[in-house]
Amino acid sequence: MTDDPKITLPSHVVGSGNLDRLIDTARGYAEGAAAPNTLAAYKVDWKHFGRWCRMRGADPMPPSPQLVGLYLADLAAPSDGSPALLPSSIERRLSGLCWNYVARGQALDRKDRHIKNVLDGIKRKHARPPIQKEAITSDDIKAMVATLPFDLRGLRDRAILLIGYAGGLRRSEIVSLDVHNDDTPDSGGWVEIMKAGALLTISSKTGWREVEIGRGSSDQTCPVHALEQWLHFSKIDFGPVFTSVTRDGKRSTEKRLNDKHVARLIKKTALDANIRDGLPEAKLLSMFSGHSLRAGLASSAEVDERYVQKQLGHASAEMTRRYQRRRDRFRVNLTKAAGL
């Protein structure tokens, strides 16, 4: 059993050069059906499940709801002494298995009672409130960008932080941006700079969406100005917007930044700016991640919730509220409205 499902022709179809080319094309589209990070996680999920099966003398194929149910139970209460996974991690692991089975031409019914009942029991017994990363406020982001120098790296990182914050972007969305549409095969969107601001067209989980980023009140904190400065001094007019810089710091390269750079940048500048004065370094670093930018916009923007929901690309208002760390609670008092 191979770890990588392949797209092939049926045995009764005679191959040809054209068909072989189409197989490669179809494989490329299939690989682009999910984000690279998601695909990498799904691949790890399948390897882990395969190893778990082998150690118990079982075969992962064909899909067996009973076997998967036992696997989920072992993740929640491991028999080998390894750390138990949280229900949210177990549910994501199940999604990875479902995806892998479909990729191999099979189907795993996650609603089968052997899976659903076990998963519901795990949630009921082990579920805990989600651990949320700290939101970055407007004062925080100003202090963070103030720690950056005005060399080429500093211009790039300033644009990353401000664009990510004002756009409420995921770290993968930031680094996947190109200057124009279809500049590169791995593009996740492109940028149009206008007089009033920047329009980002982004490929997200739910399809393409447009993100409007208006100009700020000053050049020091304006995300559009920061982006213009980076593109001008880096001389980038094609391909990835955010790239690495040469060791001497004098030139930009053509290499797209990894999304981990965004997470490291947030933690480093938060620490340099000492935005939570008095906290131990380890505690402060654990409080922030790439999602802190999205949570910061959702929590700080004093506008109607639906505009924040649109900017973040959420399908529901409830999902947006999960990002609002300082929501105006009890603004609507249903107790009094009900006559009590």
Side-chain angles (χ1 to χ4, degrees):
M1 179 71 198
T2 178
D3 283 332
D4 296 312
K6 300 297 183 183
I7 293 178
T8 58
L9 289 172
S11 58
H12 64 277
V13 176
V14 178
S16 69
N18 285 335
L19 287 176
D20 289 341
R21 181 188 64 80
L22 289 175
I23 290 173
D24 291 337
T25 302
R27 185 178 296 129
Y29 283 128
E31 291 172 350
N37 287 348
T38 302
L39 292 176
Y42 286 170
K43 186 175 182 179
V44 172
D45 293 340
W46 185 255
K47 285 186 176 181
H48 186 275
F49 179 58
R51 180 174 178 274
W52 183 90
C53 289
R54 288 193 300 273
M55 291 179 65
R56 287 153 182 82
D59 194 327
M61 295 292 285
S64 166
Q66 294 92 331
L67 186 64
V68 172
L70 295 177
Y71 173 66
L72 300 182
D74 199 36
L75 294 177
S79 55
D80 59 0
S82 58
L85 295 186
L86 293 174
S88 58
S89 299
I90 294 173
E91 197 161 19
R92 196 208 60 75
R93 187 75 62 89
L94 175 59
S95 297
L97 296 186
C98 290
W99 188 93
N100 274 284
Y101 275 122
V102 170
R104 288 162 173 77
Q106 301 285 338
L108 176 67
D109 182 9
R110 62 187 301 158
K111 293 183 179 180
D112 183 282
R113 64 185 179 87
H114 294 94
I115 295 176
K116 185 179 185 303
N117 290 351
V118 170
L119 189 58
D120 287 347
I122 291 172
K123 291 179 182 178
R124 186 179 182 87
K125 186 173 182 179
H126 300 290
R128 291 180 291 176
I131 300 174
Q132 296 180 318
K133 294 297 184 179
E134 188 85 358
I136 291 173
T137 68
S138 57
D139 289 338
D140 292 338
I141 200 74
K142 291 174 184 177
M144 290 162 66
V145 298
T147 67
L148 295 170
F150 284 90
D151 58 9
L152 205 54
R153 284 193 182 87
L155 292 176
R156 178 199 64 194
D157 291 344
R158 185 175 284 102
I160 287 174
L161 289 176
L162 291 173
I163 287 290
Y165 181 82
L169 304 179
R170 300 175 179 87
R171 64 186 192 182
S172 59
E173 293 173 341
I174 297 172
V175 299
S176 68
L177 289 171
D178 278 2
V179 178
H180 310 103
N181 185 15
D182 293 332
D183 274 0
T184 62
D186 60 341
S187 170
W190 66 93
V191 178
E192 296 175 75
I193 298 179
M194 308 172 184
K195 185 176 181 180
L199 178 65
L200 278 53
T201 304
I202 294 175
S203 175
S204 62
K205 295 179 179 179
T206 55
W208 289 94
R209 80 179 199 273
E210 291 184 342
V211 174
E212 298 176 4
I213 299 180
R215 293 187 181 271
S217 55
S218 71
D219 285 349
Q220 285 71 30
T221 58
C222 174
V224 183
H225 178 75
L227 179 60
E228 289 174 323
Q229 290 289 291
W230 158 246
L231 292 176
H232 172 74
F233 286 103
S234 65
K235 296 181 173 59
I236 293 177
D237 57 8
F238 183 86
V241 169
F242 295 113
T243 66
S244 60
V245 174
T246 56
R247 189 179 296 274
D248 60 12
K250 294 182 179 180
R251 292 183 299 104
S252 63
T253 72
E254 297 180 353
K255 184 180 179 181
R256 187 187 302 277
L257 283 179
N258 186 286
D259 66 339
K260 291 183 176 60
H261 174 82
V262 179
R264 290 193 295 265
L265 174 63
I266 291 170
K267 290 177 181 290
K268 181 181 184 304
T269 52
L271 183 62
D272 291 345
N274 195 22
I275 62 176
R276 298 293 182 272
D277 189 19
L279 281 181
E281 178 177 328
K283 174 66 174 176
L284 189 147
L285 292 176
S286 70
M287 291 170 60
F288 298 98
S289 72
H291 261 50
S292 295
L293 295 178
R294 284 169 67 77
L297 177 74
S299 303
S300 301
E302 300 293 338
V303 296
D304 191 295
E305 190 177 78
R306 57 186 168 154
Y307 296 113
V308 179
Q309 178 183 341
K310 180 178 182 294
Q311 190 82 337
L312 298 185
H314 288 153
S316 68
E318 181 58 34
M319 178 58 73
T320 301
R321 293 187 190 110
R322 295 182 189 178
Y323 283 78
Q324 294 172 322
R325 306 293 192 262
R326 298 181 294 108
R327 192 166 74 246
D328 186 9
R329 300 183 185 277
F330 306 110
R331 182 178 59 184
V332 177
N333 190 328
L334 289 180
T335 304
K336 290 182 179 179
L340 299 179

